[in-house]
């Protein structure tokens, strides 16, 4: 009698191979997406590479969504894992849809609609990273590597705390802009933070991105090691 559960080695190995490819794409896609986003926002790089320059942000964020899509065939019966993966894919799809505004904002920097779309993309990308770390913790829980499980639980939780500071900080800055009667020092801090908001965003995002890349690499290596050890 046949069963639909992917418990046999013949069913599991192709799924693990897709996980390895997906984590590899995510590992390389994260820095590529960030570099292209910065270049598209702060330089004429995408204009010089026209028309391919306009498509580069979409291609980069498309890599991040495709990497998650490859993971979908692994353990489809695990609802908690699939729910975490679905959240990450949804945030990745939103990021992909907003990515063309990076180019258009640079072409028309005075257009408020494009500027708001770019800041929305930055916020969505933060939530994407948070959901990606949650997904990695769920994935590590299904891999027979105790060290990876402990590291994923600790560092993914740390990353989500650091990343949560970004939307919280922007939320406070937005609320303070409508308030009167606040201490002058507070207005100066908000003005200073607004002036250096690009650098603050990078500071609170780069550290979680680097740790997320480390978790992606360790997850891939753990899967490869477990597969080769099981076949010896």
């Amino acid at each position: 009698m046949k069963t639909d559960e992917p418990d046999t080695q013949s069913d599991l190995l192709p799924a693990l191979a897709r996980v390895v490819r997906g984590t590899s794409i995510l590992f390389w896609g994260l820095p590529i997406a960030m570099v292209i986003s910065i270049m598209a926002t702060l330089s004429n790089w995408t204009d010089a590479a026209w028309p391919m320059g306009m498509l580069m942000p979409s291609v980069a964020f498309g890599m991040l969504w495709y990497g998650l899509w490859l993971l979908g065939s692994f353990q489809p019966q695990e609802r908690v894992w699939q729910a975490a993966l679905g959240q990450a894919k949804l945030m990745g799809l939103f990021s992909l849809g907003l990515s063309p505004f990076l180019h258009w904002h640079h072409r028309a920097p005075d257009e408020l609609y494009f500027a708001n779309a770019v800041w929305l993309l930055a916020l969505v990308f933060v939530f994407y990273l948070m959901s990606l770390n949650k997904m990695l913790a769920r994935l590590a829980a299904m891999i027979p590597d105790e060290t990876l499980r402990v590291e994923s639980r600790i560092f993914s939780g740390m990353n989500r705390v650091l990343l949560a500071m970004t939307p919280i900080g922007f939320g406070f800055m937005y609320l303070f802009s409508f308030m009167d009667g606040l201490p002058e020092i507070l207005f100066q801090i908000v003005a200073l933070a607004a002036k250096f908001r690009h650098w603050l965003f990078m500071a609170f995002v780069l550290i979680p991105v680097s740790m997320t890349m480390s978790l992606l690499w360790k997850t891939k290596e753990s899967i490869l090691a477990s597969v080769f050890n099981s076949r010896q």
Side-chain angles (χ1 to χ4, degrees), residues 31-153:
I32 290 174
M34 293 193 68
V35 169
I36 289 179
S37 298
I38 295 171
M39 296 294 290
T41 304
L42 303 179
S43 72
N44 295 324
W45 182 60
T46 55
D47 294 341
W50 177 269
M52 291 301 297
M54 183 182 69
L55 301 177
M56 285 182 179
S58 298
V59 172
F61 283 94
M63 287 178 59
L64 297 181
W65 189 88
Y66 178 66
L68 293 175
W69 179 78
L70 288 173
L71 306 181
S73 61
F74 180 68
Q75 301 291 3
Q77 77 281 0
E78 294 290 338
R79 295 183 179 180
V80 176
W81 148 248
Q82 288 294 327
L85 179 61
Q87 292 176 7
K89 289 168 67 175
L90 183 61
M91 293 295 103
L93 191 61
F94 283 149
S95 298
L96 177 60
L98 292 168
S99 60
F101 288 102
L102 289 167
H103 174 77
W104 295 118
H105 173 57
H106 182 70
R107 295 291 297 271
D110 296 330
E111 180 62 43
L112 184 60
Y113 176 74
F114 293 158
N116 290 334
V118 169
W119 280 111
L120 180 60
L121 171 61
L123 184 62
V124 171
F125 184 67
V126 169
F127 285 109
Y128 170 82
L129 290 174
M130 293 174 66
S131 59
L132 179 61
N133 276 272
K134 180 181 178 180
M135 182 216 72
L136 287 174
R138 301 298 186 186
L139 177 60
M142 297 183 293
I143 297 176
D145 188 334
E146 182 63 28
T147 302
L148 177 64
R149 286 198 293 266
V150 173
E151 290 183 354
S152 297
R153 184 170 62 251

Side-chain angles (χ1 to χ4, degrees), residues 152-167:
S152 297
R153 184 170 62 251
I154 294 174
F155 289 111
S156 65
M158 186 185 305
N159 288 340
R160 280 179 280 173
V161 171
L162 288 174
L163 290 166
M165 299 302 294
T166 300

